[in-house]
Amino acid sequence: MAPTEEPKKKAGTLEEEVMELRQQLQSMGSRASEADQLREEVKILKRTLTAGGNVTSGVWKRSWAEELPEAPPDAIFGVAARFRSDPCPQKADLVVGAYRTDDGRPYLLPSVAEAERRLADARLKKDYAPILGLHDFCVGSAGLVLGKDSPALNEGRVAMAQSLSGTGALSLVANFYARFLPLQTQIMLSNPTWANHKAIFNLVGFTNFVNYSYWDPVTRGFNYEGMLKDLQRAPQRSIVVLHLCAHNPTGCDPTLDQWRNIGKVCWERRHHVVFDSAYQGYATGDLERDAWPARLFEREIGVEFCVTQSYSKNMGLYGERIGCFSYICKTKSAAVAIEDQIKVIVRRLYSNPPVHGARLVTAILNDPQLRAQWETELQAMSKRIQQMRKLLKQALEDLKVPGTWGHIVSQIGMFSFTGLTPQQVKVMIDDFHVYMLGSGRISMAGVTTANVAYIANAIAESIKRHPSKPPQPAENDTYYIQHNEPFRLPSPLGQWTQLPRARADPIFGAYDKFVKDPTDDKVNLVLVADGRNVDNAPLLLLSVAQAENRLAEARGQKEYMPIDGPADFRVASCKLILGDDSPALREGRVASCQSLSGTGALNLVASLFSRFVPIETHVVFSDPTWSNHPAIFEFVGFKNIVYHRYWDQKKKAANIDGMIEDLKKFPSRSIVVLQLCAHNPTGADPTQEQWRRIGKVCWEKRHFIVLDAAYQGYATGDLVRDAWPARVFEREIGLEFAITQSYSKPLGLYGERIGCLAYVCKSARAARAIQSQLKTIVRRVYSNPPLHGARIVSTILNDPDLRRLWERELRGMAERVQVMKADLVAELQSLGTPGDWSFLKRHVGMFSMTGLSLAQIERLRSKSHVYLLKNGRLSWPGLTRKTVPQVARGIDDVVRHQETARL
């Protein structure tokens, strides 16, 4: 049930409440935390008082997030942060799996730098990628693992989707399984495994985790017999996560014959197999050899399986977050159905993947010269790691460190599982400033000829202080639930034959119909970000092209971004909406996180609410609203979706009085999604005074507010004017609210998927808590955000010349839309089209509701080849002076046809 509304206190003045709080402060004594909270309340009330606020007193409460726990730092990136803050000159970073040269520096592969230079010179448009990503990229990626002669690939039996690196691919398959397999399904992970594996599946609802044997602490090698035994007795149809090569964290891989037997057991037990492929080519330096297990499973054993692929390590594209999801099926129809369902998941997570990383990879894979250069660079990286293994082993043996160290050279890939205990690791970090994970895993990429002796000495000293006890074999028997399930061989049609097809997205589905229309004079008023010239003006903004050229010339590294994104990007984004002089920003009361455009920001805030707000909470949207709004919140578990009145079909205007009445009737603490400006799909915005009334109601009802900011600057051409509601909510009314920001429309960065989530809080403590929880969510969905879009935006916002150029371009886009509105209205009037169409000129931003019926829209498509959404939404950037007459004639035809039908 929805939360019940608390009885209101007797109303008083703001001055009285400030005085009362001050008296409470004086009596607090030593209760420091409570005193700090009251100080925050005094600040908020004084700001409202100074601004002339007239909000009902007694309603203000401490932040909903005040009691929200601060999430602990990530196990890997938390230790990496400690390393960065350590001033010791001898410190060594053996934590994060990112390649370093022998002088300890990040490495931008020359093949990547050249591919990026070519892309910058080409000045490619930034239109939306398909929901499943760039097709050439997906085919090239699947071919890299399966081989170009793969039967499944050539027969169309591979479902493919571009992903946010390997983490994003794992998130896609976890979400897919969560929709179609029981959440009690057993998830089998190696013992040990990458720390994020469990967290990714747990985030989507799986709780039954079991470790299969893998590491043998006695031999410090692979426990083949234990693994095979565990897979054999696991319940049928368990989800089994395997590492394709260079096992993380042990560096121990099965032999080819062992892989063959592992595959047979998975086939016999009908397990759902996931191959995590993060290190292909990096393990041995041979792309073909490292991919052999997947090819064996497909061609010889016939297992259905998923591959979650990453280009972070083998191309050094850590920060671009580029990977691929591939599902090898028994039938083509199953692959098509899986792709359908993955589209639904992607659309709700981030709508479309970013294009830059995919273009880099595609350029390298498909250009013979760049491909050969990359493979040479990959072999060199692999060889350096192998050389460091030999040097470290030799140094440890020269120091006569107790134990055997042959496992360091027998292991492969980026990591080595040293066998050091947590006590020994503590000595390594605290006394020798050699940073590593508590499990004993070290990144061999951090070992150099200059520090290998120091690291070996630190290991020797840590073992001397805390001698290791003789290792005991790991025992997993107690973890298993025995099932008396009758054994059946897998169906020759596979496990996904009956998977249903998903319905097409209402926007991208309509756009697909436009694309498939063979008519030359068709007009797209559905999704206008397809990169075609509009009145001879290229969609790629000159400010964006110049920023991208600067980035290519700078040859910036592709290191992992912070989980919440770079600070300069986040601060600039928050200032763009809240203003440079925002009190909340100045006082540290804004949590912020880079997102995958506006959709990604909405998914983040919906995920945050789903973790800490009752799932029965009402989620309120305007009627009508963007079709993906309710879908995003339903995706994370909210079912109580309701709508407030907004569009008055008769008046062709916003019904703000009806909206406010509805907001008053909904239960307190409802989640209310508002649109900052250029309302989608109506184009009708509240006035400033109406925004004040809306804000006051939200304050009184204590609603959770989300301001969706997809069109700032595009609505009126004025960035400050379009941001006015957010600034009033913060400074005058004192609301807490989230801002979901997108740069798709204002900067034309549709394909870069760049946005920001900001949460304006009542206290700095609440902002810190929300920030920490957002990091937890991001880490499990795609680990770190992509860097290219953030670098473009930061370059433009922080460079005065580029900023001015962009603002001129933005005003020009907004003005062109207004001209198109006037032209269409004038053309309709000249045709004598029944009805008053002047309301279209009053709308702002990219969209308008035409008021056309579904039957009229269908006739408009079939007779005039003019494409709108089924709800009558028209996208103005699709109009040009050339197409205005055609669109006007089409509208005139459908309106007159309806008039005739009535007669």
Side-chain angles (χ1 to χ4, degrees):
M1 295 178 61
T4 57
E5 185 175 352
E6 293 185 1
K8 293 182 180 178
K9 297 179 181 178
K10 183 178 179 180
T13 68
L14 285 170
E15 292 94 333
E16 290 171 350
E17 189 151 358
V18 170
M19 291 300 298
E20 180 184 346
L21 289 171
R22 282 176 172 165
Q23 290 172 4
Q24 291 182 44
L25 272 172
Q26 293 172 0
S27 64
M28 292 302 295
S30 61
R31 290 177 289 170
S33 61
E34 294 181 51
D36 288 343
Q37 176 58 35
L38 282 171
R39 287 189 185 94
E40 295 287 349
E41 296 188 16
V42 170
K43 286 181 183 178
I44 294 290
L45 289 167
K46 286 179 72 176
R47 274 197 302 273
T48 308
L49 182 63
T50 303
N54 57 356
V55 178
T56 303
S57 182
V59 177
W60 197 92
K61 299 287 183 182
R62 64 167 52 187
S63 167
W64 75 275
E66 199 62 43
E67 303 304 325
L68 199 67
E70 287 196 37
D74 179 76
I76 296 174
F77 287 97
V79 180
R82 286 184 61 192
F83 165 81
R84 288 193 297 272
S85 63
D86 187 340
C88 177
Q90 285 187 298
K91 65 181 180 180
D93 178 10
L94 307 183
V95 183
V96 179
Y99 183 78
R100 296 291 182 265
T101 61
D102 196 46
D103 57 2
R105 296 177 184 275
Y107 180 50
L108 177 66
L109 274 65
S111 56
V112 170
E114 173 59 21
E116 195 151 46
R117 184 195 64 77
R118 293 182 187 181
L119 292 178
D121 289 346
R123 293 200 170 189
L124 297 173
K125 57 195 178 185
K126 299 291 185 181
D127 51 314
Y128 290 110
I131 296 176
L132 294 177
L134 303 185
H135 180 71
D136 289 349
F137 164 80
C138 292
V139 172
S141 297
L144 194 68
V145 175
L146 300 175
K148 291 183 178 180
D149 57 342
S150 159
L153 195 57
N154 292 327
E155 295 165 11
R157 294 189 286 108
V158 182
M160 297 174 287
Q162 183 184 328
S163 67
L164 277 296
S165 201
T167 302
L170 284 161
S171 176
L172 288 181
V173 73
N175 273 284
F176 172 69
Y177 284 151
R179 291 168 69 88
F180 296 105
L181 296 179
L183 289 177
Q184 298 80 21
T185 299
Q186 187 165 280
I187 311 290
M188 301 194 70
L189 306 173
S190 65
N191 183 20
T193 193
W194 179 45
N196 214 19
H197 273 149
K198 180 178 179 180
I200 290 167
F201 282 87
N202 184 246
L203 182 70
V204 299
F206 289 104
T207 57
N208 188 11
F209 293 93
V210 169
N211 294 117
Y212 59 80
S213 301
Y214 199 89
W215 170 254
D216 188 333
V218 177
T219 64
R220 295 188 177 180
F222 172 48
N223 183 359
Y224 165 66
E225 290 79 9
M227 176 181 178
L228 206 63
K229 180 181 177 183
D230 291 343
L231 293 179
Q232 285 171 331
R233 60 182 176 177
Q236 286 191 18
R237 303 181 189 86
S238 293
I239 297 169
V240 179
V241 179
L242 304 172
H243 300 230
L244 183 72
C245 60
H247 182 274
N248 179 5
T250 69
C252 299
D253 284 358
T255 65
L256 299 185
D257 284 337
Q258 289 170 340
W259 271 122
R260 182 174 282 107
N261 291 328
I262 291 167
K264 288 179 179 177
V265 170
C266 290
W267 184 82
E268 290 168 353
R269 299 298 295 166
R270 307 186 70 180
H271 292 324
H272 301 282
V273 174
V274 178
F275 264 123
D276 190 3
S277 175
Y279 305 96
Q280 185 187 356
Y282 203 101
T284 65
D286 186 333
L287 288 161
E288 302 295 310
R289 179 179 174 186
D290 289 351
W292 197 88
R295 300 181 189 188
L296 173 74
F297 274 43
E298 179 210 342
R299 306 181 192 198
E300 184 175 321
I301 304 173
V303 177
E304 285 188 308
F305 61 96
C306 178
V307 179
T308 58
Q309 197 171 358
S310 169
Y311 288 99
S312 291
K313 310 304 191 292
N314 57 15
M315 281 194 182
L317 295 174
Y318 310 96
E320 293 297 351
R321 313 311 298 145
I322 181 63
C324 191
F325 160 98
S326 301
Y327 213 116
I328 291 78
C329 303
K330 288 287 188 181
T331 64
K332 184 176 181 179
S333 62
V336 171
I338 289 177
E339 284 190 353
D340 267 2
Q341 297 297 342
I342 293 297
K343 282 182 183 179
V344 173
I345 294 167
V346 170
R347 182 71 168 132
R348 283 143 184 76
L349 285 175
Y350 45 85
S351 186
N352 315 72
V355 296
H356 187 70
R359 286 173 171 171
L360 285 175
V361 173
T362 304
I364 292 171
L365 293 183
N366 292 340
D367 183 281
Q369 181 182 356
L370 285 180
R371 170 75 177 249
Q373 182 181 351
W374 166 56
E375 291 186 8
T376 300
E377 293 160 355
L378 184 56
Q379 291 167 4
M381 290 192 292
S382 179
K383 287 178 181 177
R384 195 191 85 77
I385 295 298
Q386 294 170 21
Q387 181 63 23
M388 291 305 103
R389 290 183 180 279
K390 294 176 182 177
L391 291 178
L392 181 58
K393 173 181 177 286
Q394 187 61 52
L396 290 168
E397 290 176 348
D398 289 347
L399 291 171
K400 295 183 170 42
V401 179
T404 59
W405 298 98
H407 61 284
I408 290 180
V409 293
S410 63
Q411 296 168 359
I412 60 173
M414 183 167 281
F415 302 112
S416 180
F417 211 52
T418 60
L420 296 179
T421 66
Q423 281 183 313
Q424 293 163 347
V425 171
K426 190 174 187 302
V427 172
M428 295 280 289
I429 295 175
D430 293 347
D431 296 351
F432 293 92
H433 307 274
V434 176
Y435 287 82
M436 56 192 295
L437 296 189
S439 63
R441 188 197 84 171
I442 62 173
S443 173
M444 293 303 303
V447 181
T448 68
T449 52
N451 68 17
V452 65
Y454 179 77
I455 292 170
N457 183 67
I459 292 174
E461 188 61 30
S462 69
I463 291 175
K464 180 179 178 181
R465 296 185 194 180
H466 299 284
S468 299
K469 296 179 181 178
Q472 299 297 319
E475 188 60 62
N476 278 339
D477 287 356
T478 57
Y479 292 108
Y480 284 93
I481 301 171
Q482 298 297 325
H483 286 249
N484 295 320
E485 189 175 9
F487 175 79
R488 291 181 297 171
L489 288 175
S491 163
L493 296 179
Q495 307 202 50
W496 301 109
T497 305
Q498 303 302 318
L499 188 70
R501 297 285 304 271
R503 287 187 297 178
D505 178 79
I507 297 176
F508 285 93
Y511 179 67
D512 286 343
K513 289 182 179 180
F514 164 79
V515 171
K516 293 174 182 177
D517 186 336
T519 310
D520 291 335
D521 62 348
K522 61 186 177 181
V523 181
N524 170 24
L525 302 182
V526 175
L527 182 72
V528 183
D530 59 357
R532 291 181 300 167
N533 288 351
V534 178
D535 285 353
N536 297 317
L539 184 67
L540 180 66
L541 300 184
L542 182 59
S543 55
V544 171
Q546 290 184 6
E548 202 155 36
N549 279 332
R550 291 186 191 182
L551 294 174
E553 291 169 3
R555 296 171 67 100
Q557 294 295 335
K558 302 292 186 181
E559 293 292 283
Y560 288 111
M561 299 269 273
I563 295 174
D564 50 5
D568 62 342
F569 165 78
R570 292 187 285 110
V571 171
S573 296
C574 291
K575 286 183 176 179
L576 193 66
I577 289 186
L578 298 174
D580 292 346
D581 57 343
S582 161
L585 278 172
R586 184 174 61 249
E587 295 162 12
R589 295 188 287 107
V590 181
S592 60
C593 187
Q594 182 184 332
S595 65
L596 275 296
S597 201
T599 304
L602 284 161
N603 181 268
L604 282 179
V605 75
S607 297
L608 176 73
F609 285 148
S610 73
R611 292 164 70 91
F612 298 104
V613 174
I615 208 68
E616 300 86 4
T617 298
H618 283 64
V619 185
V620 184
F621 302 98
S622 64
D623 183 13
T625 191
W626 178 45
S627 59
N628 214 20
H629 272 150
I632 290 167
F633 280 81
E634 288 173 337
F635 183 74
V636 299
F638 289 103
K639 300 299 181 186
N640 205 355
I641 305 296
V642 294
Y643 298 87
H644 64 72
R645 285 172 284 174
Y646 195 83
W647 176 248
D648 189 322
Q649 177 68 9
K650 291 184 178 179
K651 296 181 180 179
K652 301 293 191 298
N655 179 7
I656 302 303
D657 289 338
M659 171 186 180
I660 290 173
E661 286 179 15
D662 292 345
L663 291 178
K664 288 179 179 178
K665 292 177 183 178
F666 292 125
S668 295
R669 304 182 189 87
S670 293
I671 298 168
V672 179
V673 179
L674 305 171
Q675 298 190 40
L676 181 74
C677 60
H679 183 273
N680 179 2
T682 70
D685 283 357
T687 65
Q688 292 187 353
E689 185 53 41
Q690 288 170 337
W691 271 120
R692 283 193 175 95
R693 291 170 58 199
I694 293 166
K696 181 178 178 181
V697 170
C698 290
W699 169 289
E700 291 170 347
K701 297 292 292 187
R702 300 176 68 184
H703 291 322
F704 298 100
I705 303 301
V706 178
L707 272 180
D708 191 5
Y711 306 98
Q712 185 189 359
Y714 207 108
T716 66
D718 186 330
L719 288 162
V720 175
R721 180 180 174 186
D722 288 352
W724 190 89
R727 300 186 188 190
V728 167
F729 277 23
E730 179 210 343
R731 306 179 193 202
E732 185 175 318
I733 303 175
L735 282 169
E736 279 192 317
F737 58 97
I739 303 167
T740 56
Q741 190 174 8
S742 168
Y743 288 102
S744 292
K745 276 71 176 185
L747 274 168
L749 294 174
Y750 306 94
E752 292 299 348
R753 313 311 296 146
I754 180 64
C756 188
L757 169 64
Y759 211 116
V760 180
C761 301
K762 291 175 180 171
S763 72
R765 193 270 169 208
R768 289 193 302 272
I770 288 178
Q771 186 101 4
S772 69
Q773 295 295 344
L774 290 173
K775 288 182 181 180
T776 299
I777 296 166
V778 169
R779 181 72 167 128
R780 285 148 180 76
V781 180
Y782 46 86
S783 184
N784 312 74
L787 61 81
H788 190 68
R791 283 178 172 172
I792 292 174
V793 173
S794 295
T795 301
I796 292 172
L797 294 185
N798 294 321
D799 182 280
D801 292 336
L802 283 179
R803 172 76 175 250
R804 284 191 292 270
L805 173 59
W806 167 55
E807 291 185 6
R808 287 198 302 271
E809 293 176 314
L810 185 56
R811 284 194 298 272
M813 289 192 292
E815 289 168 0
R816 198 195 78 81
V817 164
Q818 290 305 117
V819 169
M820 289 300 100
K821 292 175 183 178
D823 287 353
L824 181 61
V825 171
E827 191 72 23
L828 290 169
Q829 290 173 344
S830 70
L831 291 171
T833 305
D836 180 6
W837 295 90
S838 61
F839 71 91
L840 293 173
K841 295 192 291 185
R842 296 193 293 272
H843 294 168
V844 296
M846 182 174 278
F847 305 115
S848 282
M849 288 289 280
T850 60
L852 297 177
S853 68
L854 179 58
Q856 289 173 322
I857 291 165
E858 292 294 343
R859 180 178 174 87
L860 192 62
R861 288 180 183 177
S862 62
K863 296 277 289 183
S864 303
H865 303 279
V866 175
Y867 287 76
L868 278 66
L869 289 189
K870 288 183 177 180
N871 63 4
R873 190 193 82 173
L874 177 152
S875 182
W876 288 105
L879 274 178
T880 67
R881 289 187 177 91
K882 179 181 178 181
T883 59
V884 162
Q886 176 186 348
V887 173
R889 288 193 300 270
I891 293 175
D892 182 76
D893 168 69
V894 300
V895 172
R896 292 183 187 278
H897 181 267
Q898 187 177 53
E899 292 283 322
T900 302
R902 286 175 180 170
L903 294 175

